[in-house]
Amino acid sequence: MRIAELLAHGERNVEVTAKGWVRTKRGNKNVAFIALNDGSTIHNIQVVAETAAFDETLLKNITTGACLKVTGLLVDSPASGQPVEIQARTIEIYGLADPESYPLQKKGHTLEFLREIAHLRPRTNTFGAVFRIRHAMAYAIHKYFNDRGFYYWNSPLITASDAEGAGAMFRVTTLAPGETDFNEDFFGRPTNLTVSGQLEGELAAMALGQIYTFGPTFRAENSNTPRHLAEFWMVEPEMAFYEIEDNMNLAEDFIKYLVNYALEHCADDLAFLEKMYDAELTERLRFVTANDFVRLTYTEGVKILEEARDTKGVKFEFPVFWGADLAAEHERYLVEQHFRRPVIMTDYPKEIKAFYMKQNEDGRTVRGMDVLFPKIGEIIGGSEREADYDKLVARMDEMGVPTETMQWYLDTRRFGSAPHSGFGLGFERLVLFVTGMTNIRDVIPFPRTPKNAEF
Amino acid sequence: MRIAELLAHGERNVEVTAKGWVRTKRGNKNVAFIALNDGSTIHNIQVVAETAAFDETLLKNITTGACLKVTGLLVDSPASGQPVEIQARTIEIYGLADPESYPLQKKGHTLEFLREIAHLRPRTNTFGAVFRIRHAMAYAIHKYFNDRGFYYWNSPLITASDAEGAGAMFRVTTLAPGETDFNEDFFGRPTNLTVSGQLEGELAAMALGQIYTFGPTFRAENSNTPRHLAEFWMVEPEMAFYEIEDNMNLAEDFIKYLVNYALEHCADDLAFLEKMYDAELTERLRFVTANDFVRLTYTEGVKILEEARDTKGVKFEFPVFWGADLAAEHERYLVEQHFRRPVIMTDYPKEIKAFYMKQNEDGRTVRGMDVLFPKIGEIIGGSEREADYDKLVARMDEMGVPTETMQWYLDTRRFGSAPHSGFGLGFERLVLFVTGMTNIRDVIPFPRTPKNAEF
């Protein structure tokens, strides 16, 4: 039985076995108290060992980080804060952890230090909590879509197309360094790691109706910020017959479901993170689930920002004007200062959005849709897609997107086109929001950033 | 309401809306019968349109592949094989599909032809069924592990390590073709696409207890076979405190659960595939769930094969002897001819297995474990891992695996080591088995193979 189960509903006064890693050992010459953790919960189980009953060397070797198998009676614990403890009958040491060299000896390591030992940090309370929540969010994503008749769709990672021109790409090759003949390359042409699975997702939506991707995505951008990774996970649902209003409704319902799921399934881990890092964490999560998101157009948003600047003396670093690509400071002003709740902004100038977004009749804006969150900024970006073949081709030509190599994509508009929509959720940004962590490198097991591909 | 729901429990004699793609249209001068499909099920809904009630051009434009929105009364269908039909009141054409150019005009395209139009093949019955089943299997994998306290773990895709030396790798780079200075590369060193998430998975298991990866994996091998892809999806659970027996139990339970899940949730799609491609499909699936897998050692397996060769006159293309890496023909003989059920083979010669497998006391074999399936051959490969630091390092030295760059991996054995095990399931091989398809390119949306990276 794992420790989470022993703590939650282990039968009293029967012999149990617990296996896990030592978090702390304390005690006196008569008794040792060993806090054991197996990763199934943030909580440790206390093992009580009468020193007289055990070999001295064995007890000495029980140090922080050592791995043990313990058998003994599960009894009500007299100590506060723990329902049960184990009166040890036998203790076997699976693996030692030399106190001189084990890096997780003392408490209170900085997150920066733990990043350098990313291979060991899941053994800490913080990263145990973060990665359990990350799991819960991934599962909730699959459950949400499965329960609603969406199909999981695996867009290719290696691609010969540039998707949406969303960012700089990594080249994938089997050519030896210095070789340049792509005819000799594995795929007989230059190939890259995908920046988005959307275009292939659209193909699927126009056949299966409702699909979602959820997989790794790549950007070869030289951004050393707490918000960017070169390799990150993205969720991209795509739905036939959804117009932008349906798309907004889905995005809001989806993200509220996920946050609710965390509140319901990760209470212990959230309580720990709240105590250690972010006193307003669960309050912020509850607020998101309890309130309607504000919906407004880009044009309305710019007006609010201009007024704030002109009449309230709000200072922005970057200029605000109709046509500007809003910066994080602008988004956060709207979300955190003006509306004080999440915002769904729509109908952006076509110049700052991708070629595939549905063109509005005003000729100036497209049916893009961004969901803006407190602390995080943009957590979801999406749009209704341009379903009209001629309009789409015209826009691609205007923007210099090659139509010859995109015939497969255009075929969705050539044969049985339909209104359809979709969006992308940056999975790590979601996990950042739900855990209250502030650096994206702390919510993915092994972050990939410029000059950093350890482990 | 989607068509699957209308067919399953749509209320009779109320007006409904259906949206989908035309599969066929037939009829006479008084009435048109339109078979509409929206991807939610293998079944179409029949739309009955009185020709007198609709514009002639509109009816003419309703051709195979066109996308429609239909409203009308849902009524019991007089036709056999369908519970309901829609008496059309309005029909709107979302998108045309020109009969002269739409490639899915006629039925009975070959799978080879459909592979060339992989962007449209999800619109066929066959690939609709395959990809719905693929989804169901992915969801079942997440559900199985989540329900049992495993955490989803995302090993990195871009890696500077060579994992297990499992195969040739793709290089990931931002260097321009011809440039060779890795100091200038994105990560400041050569990096590759992962061939397995196992090693990073072990790190997580030694902290969170039970984890699984499920993501894309890459092999740059020039293998043009119906069983190999350059980009495929792999499931890799890894469990602390599991010995090989526990590992075998988990693998057998897991795969039976998945096959059962398909039988329970994908009956219509399986029935279609059985009718069209593989008359024994569900029988084979039921057989797997109903029978214990045979468990035997490699040594016992070789003895059976040698006897078959020597006393029964069975002819093998490749030689059989203790120490040989068994070929597919050998595995299939054991599974299909000798035992007639799935086989879990264990304790392989160390020379033919990876460095991380637990070494047996005989000094010759390791605790590897392969699950062998009818038609598929190896569907799962795994092992108990070597938990002893010194033995592991000795084996790495023998096999020329660099220990200097693998200190992060060795730290799991240096600090709090424990018995642990894991395995890898090739997701597409599972989908092959469950769908009865015979070419792995037909169970992944966009296959990546030598000289082929279309879409």
Side-chain angles (χ1 to χ4, degrees):
Chain A
M1 209 179 263
R2 299 184 75 196
I3 288 172
E5 293 169 66
L6 287 174
L7 292 173
H9 38 74
E11 198 184 339
R12 298 331 191 244
N13 304 310
V14 298
E15 178 154 307
V16 297
T17 300
K19 302 170 182 177
W21 291 269
V22 176
R23 286 293 169 84
T24 59
K25 186 180 73 170
R26 59 190 180 80
N28 53 44
K29 68 179 193 307
N30 297 320
V31 62
F33 299 101
I34 304 157
L36 206 64
N37 188 287
D38 67 358
S40 61
T41 161
I42 191 92
H43 300 299
N44 307 320
I45 196 161
Q46 176 161 284
V47 176
V48 183
E50 308 279 344
T51 53
F54 294 93
D55 178 75
E56 196 178 333
T57 312
L58 180 123
L59 288 177
K60 192 164 153 281
N61 281 331
I62 297 174
T63 57
T64 296
C67 189
L68 308 185
K69 175 184 177 180
V70 175
T71 66
L73 222 54
L74 190 76
V75 299
D76 286 320
S77 176
S80 73
Q82 51 189 27
V84 291
E85 61 186 32
I86 297 174
Q87 292 175 340
R89 192 176 59 76
T90 71
I91 299 178
E92 179 185 343
I93 299 183
Y94 280 136
L96 302 170
D98 172 33
E100 299 299 314
S101 51
Y102 186 55
L104 294 173
Q105 213 44 238
K106 296 242 172 77
K107 289 183 176 182
H109 294 297
T110 64
L111 295 174
E112 289 73 16
F113 170 74
L114 292 174
R115 242 170 260 152
E116 289 168 22
I117 52 166
H119 63 306
L120 294 174
R121 68 180 180 170
R123 299 184 183 195
T124 64
N125 282 331
T126 296
F127 287 94
V130 166
F131 292 133
R132 279 187 295 268
I133 292 171
R134 184 180 164 104
H135 160 77
M137 290 297 88
Y139 185 68
I141 287 165
H142 286 292
K143 182 166 167 53
Y144 180 87
F145 286 125
N146 182 72
D147 289 352
R148 284 152 186 80
F150 286 65
Y151 300 111
Y152 187 38
W153 179 257
N154 299 130
S155 286
L157 281 275
I158 299 174
T159 169
S161 89
D162 175 5
E164 47 178 291
M169 295 195 289
F170 290 103
R171 191 158 53 86
V172 174
T173 182
T174 53
L175 292 176
E179 287 180 19
T180 57
D181 182 1
F182 287 116
N183 291 316
E184 297 298 313
D185 209 345
F186 189 88
F187 296 108
R189 57 160 92 177
T191 52
N192 301 297
L193 286 176
T194 188
V195 295
S196 162
Q198 175 197 318
L199 302 194
E200 292 87 354
E202 285 187 55
L203 304 177
M206 301 303 278
L208 299 169
Q210 302 175 171
I211 63 91
Y212 68 107
T213 72
F214 182 11
T217 315
F218 306 86
R219 303 277 158 91
E221 270 150 30
N222 199 6
S223 306
N224 254 314
T225 86
R227 286 160 44 97
H228 290 90
L229 292 167
E231 174 180 324
F232 57 100
W233 285 63
M234 189 132 79
V235 185
E236 297 184 283
E238 192 74 32
M239 298 74 64
F241 313 122
Y242 270 52
E243 301 184 6
I244 192 168
E245 195 73 18
D246 309 305
N247 205 23
M248 286 194 275
N249 293 342
L250 183 75
E252 182 169 344
D253 184 64
F254 175 54
I255 209 158
K256 284 179 170 173
Y257 175 92
L258 297 178
V259 173
N260 251 324
Y261 190 96
L263 288 166
E264 281 175 22
H265 291 81
C266 309
D268 289 354
D269 289 322
L270 288 174
F272 173 83
L273 294 171
E274 177 161 287
K275 191 179 69 180
M276 298 297 288
Y277 296 100
D278 184 347
E280 291 160 9
L281 179 58
T282 55
E283 188 187 316
R284 197 180 317 115
L285 300 183
R286 284 189 203 288
F287 185 79
V288 162
T289 64
N291 289 282
D292 287 343
F293 295 3
V294 174
R295 299 181 182 193
L296 83 167
T297 64
Y298 169 91
T299 301
E300 293 164 342
V302 167
K303 202 172 293 174
I304 291 167
L305 292 167
E306 287 175 334
E307 275 178 22
R309 180 195 58 202
D310 298 341
T311 71
K312 298 186 188 162
V314 177
K315 296 234 182 305
F316 296 117
E317 187 182 348
F318 296 97
V320 175
F321 58 92
W322 198 97
D325 202 355
L326 298 184
E329 59 173 341
H330 306 133
E331 295 172 349
R332 292 188 63 171
Y333 175 82
L334 291 171
V335 171
E336 295 171 14
Q337 307 294 320
H338 187 81
F339 291 113
R340 296 177 184 271
R341 61 172 74 178
V343 167
I344 309 182
M345 189 177 278
T346 58
D347 300 289
Y348 287 81
K350 65 181 180 182
E351 285 75 15
I352 61 172
K353 290 291 183 185
F355 71 88
Y356 49 70
M357 295 193 182
K358 184 172 171 69
Q359 298 157 39
N360 281 321
E361 290 184 0
D362 62 15
R364 306 172 70 204
T365 60
V366 292
R367 292 199 194 163
M369 157 195 113
D370 285 356
V371 180
L372 311 177
F373 254 43
K375 288 194 79 171
I376 303 294
E378 180 192 327
I379 194 165
I380 279 178
S383 73
E384 185 172 343
R385 318 306 188 188
E386 182 54 74
D388 183 275
Y389 180 88
D390 294 329
K391 285 188 188 166
L392 180 59
V393 168
R395 188 70 189 134
M396 290 171 79
D397 287 343
E398 272 175 27
M399 294 179 72
V401 180
T403 50
E404 323 78 60
T405 58
M406 301 275 284
Q407 286 305 316
W408 53 274
Y409 179 67
L410 290 169
D411 273 0
T412 50
R413 278 65 169 181
R414 191 180 284 122
F415 305 120
S417 189
H420 63 290
S421 299
F423 61 79
L425 167 77
F427 182 55
E428 280 77 20
R429 295 213 178 154
L430 171 75
V431 181
L432 268 184
F433 181 75
V434 172
T435 60
M437 302 299 282
T438 52
N439 191 315
I440 202 164
R441 296 164 203 217
D442 295 334
V443 297
I444 190 168
F446 301 99
R448 296 296 181 243
T449 53
K451 305 294 172 198
N452 175 31
E454 300 295 324
F455 314 108
Chain B
M1 209 179 267
R2 299 184 75 198
I3 288 171
E5 293 168 65
L6 287 174
L7 292 173
H9 38 73
E11 198 184 341
R12 303 321 194 250
N13 303 312
V14 299
E15 177 152 307
V16 297
T17 301
K19 301 170 183 178
W21 292 268
V22 176
R23 286 294 170 83
T24 58
K25 187 181 74 169
R26 59 190 180 78
N28 52 44
K29 67 179 195 308
N30 298 320
V31 63
F33 299 102
I34 303 157
L36 205 64
N37 188 288
D38 67 359
S40 62
T41 160
I42 190 90
H43 300 298
N44 307 320
I45 198 162
Q46 178 163 284
V47 175
V48 183
E50 309 278 345
T51 53
F54 294 93
D55 178 76
E56 194 177 336
T57 311
L58 179 121
L59 288 177
K60 190 164 153 281
N61 281 332
I62 297 174
T63 57
T64 296
C67 189
L68 308 185
K69 175 183 178 181
V70 175
T71 65
L73 223 51
L74 190 75
V75 298
D76 286 318
S77 176
S80 73
Q82 54 189 22
V84 290
E85 62 186 31
I86 297 174
Q87 291 174 343
R89 191 175 61 77
T90 70
I91 299 178
E92 178 184 345
I93 298 182
Y94 280 135
L96 302 170
D98 171 31
E100 299 299 313
S101 51
Y102 185 55
L104 293 172
Q105 209 46 237
K106 296 242 172 77
K107 288 183 177 182
H109 294 298
T110 65
L111 295 173
E112 289 74 15
F113 170 74
L114 293 174
R115 241 170 261 152
E116 288 168 23
I117 52 167
H119 64 305
L120 294 174
R121 66 180 180 169
R123 300 185 181 194
T124 64
N125 281 330
T126 295
F127 287 95
V130 165
F131 292 133
R132 280 188 296 269
I133 292 171
R134 185 181 165 104
H135 161 77
M137 291 296 86
Y139 185 67
I141 287 165
H142 286 292
K143 181 165 169 52
Y144 180 88
F145 286 125
N146 181 72
D147 288 353
R148 283 152 188 82
F150 285 64
Y151 301 110
Y152 187 39
W153 180 256
N154 298 130
S155 287
L157 281 276
I158 297 175
T159 170
S161 89
D162 174 5
E164 48 177 290
M169 296 195 291
F170 289 101
R171 191 158 54 86
V172 174
T173 182
T174 52
L175 292 177
E179 287 180 19
T180 57
D181 182 1
F182 287 115
N183 291 316
E184 298 298 313
D185 208 347
F186 189 88
F187 296 107
R189 56 160 92 178
T191 51
N192 302 296
L193 286 176
T194 187
V195 295
S196 162
Q198 177 197 316
L199 302 194
E200 292 88 354
E202 285 187 54
L203 304 176
M206 301 304 279
L208 299 170
Q210 303 176 169
I211 64 91
Y212 68 107
T213 72
F214 182 9
T217 316
F218 305 87
R219 302 279 158 89
E221 271 150 29
N222 200 5
S223 307
N224 254 314
T225 84
R227 285 160 44 96
H228 291 89
L229 292 166
E231 174 181 322
F232 57 101
W233 285 63
M234 188 131 80
V235 185
E236 298 185 281
E238 193 74 31
M239 298 74 64
F241 313 121
Y242 270 52
E243 300 183 5
I244 192 167
E245 195 74 17
D246 308 306
N247 205 23
M248 285 193 277
N249 293 343
L250 183 75
E252 182 169 343
D253 185 63
F254 176 53
I255 209 157
K256 283 178 169 173
Y257 175 92
L258 298 178
V259 173
N260 250 324
Y261 191 96
L263 287 166
E264 281 174 22
H265 291 81
C266 309
D268 289 355
D269 289 322
L270 288 174
F272 173 82
L273 294 171
E274 177 162 287
K275 191 178 70 181
M276 298 298 287
Y277 294 100
D278 183 347
E280 291 159 9
L281 179 58
T282 54
E283 187 188 318
R284 198 182 315 115
L285 299 183
R286 286 190 202 288
F287 185 80
V288 162
T289 64
N291 289 282
D292 288 343
F293 294 4
V294 174
R295 298 182 182 193
L296 84 168
T297 65
Y298 169 91
T299 301
E300 292 164 342
V302 167
K303 201 173 293 173
I304 290 167
L305 292 167
E306 287 175 333
E307 276 179 23
R309 180 195 59 201
D310 297 341
T311 69
K312 297 185 189 161
V314 177
K315 296 235 183 305
F316 296 119
E317 188 182 346
F318 295 98
V320 176
F321 58 92
W322 197 97
D325 202 356
L326 299 183
E329 58 173 340
H330 306 132
E331 295 172 350
R332 292 187 63 170
Y333 175 81
L334 291 171
V335 170
E336 295 172 14
Q337 306 294 318
H338 188 81
F339 291 113
R340 294 177 183 271
R341 62 172 72 176
V343 166
I344 308 183
M345 189 177 278
T346 59
D347 300 289
Y348 287 81
K350 65 181 180 184
E351 285 74 16
I352 61 172
K353 288 292 183 183
F355 71 88
Y356 50 70
M357 295 195 183
K358 185 174 171 66
Q359 298 158 40
N360 281 320
E361 291 185 359
D362 63 13
R364 306 172 71 203
T365 60
V366 291
R367 290 197 198 165
M369 160 195 110
D370 285 356
V371 180
L372 311 177
F373 254 43
K375 289 193 79 174
I376 303 294
E378 181 191 327
I379 193 165
I380 280 178
S383 73
E384 185 173 341
R385 317 307 189 189
E386 182 54 74
D388 183 274
Y389 180 86
D390 293 329
K391 284 188 189 168
L392 180 60
V393 168
R395 188 69 190 136
M396 290 171 80
D397 287 342
E398 273 176 27
M399 294 178 72
V401 180
T403 51
E404 323 78 61
T405 56
M406 300 277 281
Q407 287 304 316
W408 54 274
Y409 179 67
L410 289 169
D411 274 358
T412 50
R413 276 67 169 180
R414 190 181 285 122
F415 305 121
S417 188
H420 63 290
S421 299
F423 61 79
L425 168 77
F427 182 56
E428 281 77 19
R429 294 212 178 157
L430 171 75
V431 182
L432 268 185
F433 182 74
V434 172
T435 59
M437 303 299 280
T438 53
N439 191 317
I440 201 162
R441 296 166 201 214
D442 295 334
V443 298
I444 191 168
F446 300 98
R448 295 299 182 239
T449 53
K451 304 295 173 198
N452 176 31
E454 300 296 323
F455 313 109

